[in-house]
Amino acid sequence: MNYIILDLEFNAAYSKHRHRFVNEIIEFGAVKCDEQLNIIDTFSELVTPQISKKLNSHVSALTHITIDELKESHNTFSHVCSKFRKFLGDGVLLTWSNSDILVLMENYRYFFGNNKVSFLQYYVNLQKYCERALNYTDRHHQMGLSACAEAIGLTFEEGKLHRAYQDAELSAACFKALYNEELLKEFIYRCDDDFYSRVTFKNYNICDLKDPGVDRHQMYFNCEQCGRRALRRSKWRLKNRSFRANFRCLRCGKDFEGRIVFKRCYDHVEVIKKTAEVPPKESRRQKSEKNSTEQ
C-alpha cells in the first residue's frame, strides 16, 4: 500500500456566481511513499484560478506565488484533479489536519457539483496521528507542522515552507519519523458516507445543562493543592460557553472557580475542566471600594 501526503495552497476568492467566498485551490503538492515510507514519486502543479483573477495579498506574501505564474500554468482545477487522481491511485491520502481535505471537497463541490471526492478511498489526518504519537495533550492549540518537525529534531528551512510540495515533503518526513503500524490503523478511515459526515461535522460547546450530552457525574472539582473533593458553593452558571460554579476545599480553605466545557464532537462528548483563583473577600471588597472611588 502506498501513502500519498498532499498539501494544498488556496486563495479566498469571491464567487459572483454563488455570491460567497470560496477557498480556491491554486497549488497541489504531494509525495508518494511506499510501505517502507521511502519517497517513490512526487507531484507539483499550479492551478489557474477560475473564480477570481486576483490573489489575496496575504497569500502572495506567504507563498510567493504570483497571479502571472498561475495564469501561465494553463492548468484548470479539473485538469489537475485528473492528474492527481492517477497519481493517488488506490493509495491512502494523508493531509496535515483536515483543513486541506475540506478545501478539496469545497472545490470539488463548486466545480463538479458533488459533495464527495470520487477518487478518495482511504484518508488519514496526519496532524492528529502525530499528536497522538508524540503524546501531545494541549487541547487548546493544535500542533503545527513546523512545531512537530522541531519536536522530533528534523531540520528544515522556514523560508521554504508554505509552498505545497515543500510542506508535503516535511509532512512525509514527520510521518516517517513517527511511524507506528498499529497506531496508524486507528487513524485510517474509509471514505464512505460516515467519513464525510465525520469530517464535515462542526464541534460545538453544549450550553444547556439539560442536554443529554452533559454528564452530571463529571461536574465536580478536586482541590489542586491537596487533591480532596471540593465543595460546590454556588449554582452552575453559563459564561463564555462554559459552565461555572464557586468551590471551596474544606481542608485547605481554598476558594476557586470551577469551569467545565462539554464539547460535542461527532461521536463523543469531550470534557474540559479548568480552575481559576477566587480572590479573598477582603481583596474583593478593597477592589470594589477602589472602583467606586475612581468613578
Side-chain angles (χ1 to χ4, degrees):
M1 180 178 290
N2 292 326
Y3 302 101
I4 293 79
I5 297 88
L6 170 69
D7 188 86
L8 302 171
E9 300 299 336
F10 43 89
N11 179 53
Y14 184 76
S15 169
K16 294 180 180 178
H17 177 63
R18 303 289 174 85
H19 304 290
R20 61 180 175 85
F21 279 94
V22 177
N23 291 308
E24 185 175 18
I25 296 172
I26 58 173
E27 186 179 33
F28 279 67
V31 296
K32 180 183 288 186
C33 300
D34 60 18
E35 291 185 341
Q36 286 71 46
L37 303 187
N38 299 309
I39 295 177
I40 57 175
D41 203 357
T42 62
F43 186 92
S44 182
E45 295 281 351
L46 293 175
V47 183
T48 303
Q50 295 171 264
I51 302 174
S52 175
K53 305 303 179 184
K54 295 182 180 180
L55 279 185
N56 180 286
S57 58
H58 175 71
V59 173
S60 297
L62 196 65
T63 65
H64 303 294
I65 297 173
T66 67
I67 191 66
D68 290 335
E69 284 182 279
L70 298 177
K71 290 178 179 178
E72 291 169 3
S73 69
H74 301 293
N75 254 343
T76 65
F77 177 75
S78 177
H79 292 151
V80 179
C81 257
S82 180
K83 294 176 185 177
F84 184 72
R85 180 174 192 159
K86 294 177 182 177
F87 180 80
L88 177 66
D90 59 357
V92 179
L93 181 71
L94 301 90
T95 64
W96 188 266
S97 86
N98 62 9
S99 60
D100 279 2
I101 195 70
L102 289 172
V103 168
L104 181 60
M105 290 166 57
E106 181 182 6
N107 281 250
Y108 210 80
R109 180 168 57 251
Y110 184 91
F111 290 107
F112 303 135
N114 194 337
N115 288 321
K116 300 174 183 177
V117 183
S118 61
F119 53 82
L120 294 186
Q121 296 185 55
Y122 301 96
Y123 173 73
V124 171
N125 183 331
L126 185 55
Q127 182 187 56
K128 293 297 184 185
Y129 170 84
C130 290
E131 286 179 343
R132 175 77 71 79
L134 288 169
N135 294 316
Y136 182 79
T137 57
D138 188 339
R139 295 176 175 178
H140 306 289
H141 301 92
Q142 292 182 318
M143 176 174 278
L145 175 58
S146 58
C148 178
E150 289 173 354
I152 55 183
L154 295 179
T155 57
F156 60 93
E157 294 183 46
E158 185 70 35
K160 289 187 177 181
L161 296 182
H162 308 300
R163 285 300 298 263
Y165 176 75
Q166 282 78 9
D167 284 0
E169 190 175 41
L170 184 59
S171 298
C174 291
F175 180 44
K176 185 172 184 176
L178 296 171
Y179 179 72
N180 180 300
E181 184 177 1
E182 290 303 312
L183 178 62
L184 183 62
K185 291 177 182 178
E186 297 180 31
F187 289 85
I188 297 179
Y189 287 96
R190 182 182 293 275
C191 297
D192 52 15
D193 290 342
D194 181 71
F195 164 76
Y196 284 99
S197 297
R198 179 186 296 274
V199 78
T200 56
F201 184 85
K202 294 182 179 180
N203 297 344
Y204 63 89
N205 288 2
I206 297 172
C207 297
D208 184 356
L209 275 175
K210 296 180 181 179
D211 189 289
V214 172
D215 183 356
R216 288 280 185 168
H217 293 95
Q218 293 282 353
M219 301 187 78
Y220 68 89
F221 283 85
N222 294 328
C223 175
E224 294 181 346
Q225 186 170 323
C226 69
R228 185 175 180 177
R229 181 72 61 90
L231 175 69
R232 180 162 61 88
R233 305 187 69 209
S234 71
K235 292 182 178 181
W236 288 103
R237 58 192 179 275
L238 181 68
K239 184 177 180 181
N240 295 333
R241 297 183 295 172
S242 69
F243 298 108
R244 306 181 181 198
N246 295 334
F247 288 81
R248 167 173 286 183
C249 176
L250 298 180
R251 175 179 291 177
C252 302
K254 181 179 179 181
D255 291 316
F256 63 91
E257 181 182 68
R259 303 173 181 177
I260 184 166
V261 170
F262 293 95
K263 181 180 287 187
R264 168 68 70 181
C265 303
Y266 177 69
D267 54 5
H268 69 284
V269 174
E270 183 180 1
V271 181
I272 304 170
K273 293 182 178 182
K274 282 185 175 181
T275 61
E277 289 189 10
V278 175
K281 289 184 178 180
E282 182 65 21
S283 298
R284 291 202 301 269
R285 184 179 63 80
Q286 291 175 355
K287 185 176 180 180
S288 178
E289 291 176 350
K290 181 180 179 182
N291 290 339
S292 298
T293 303
E294 291 175 349
Q295 290 175 2

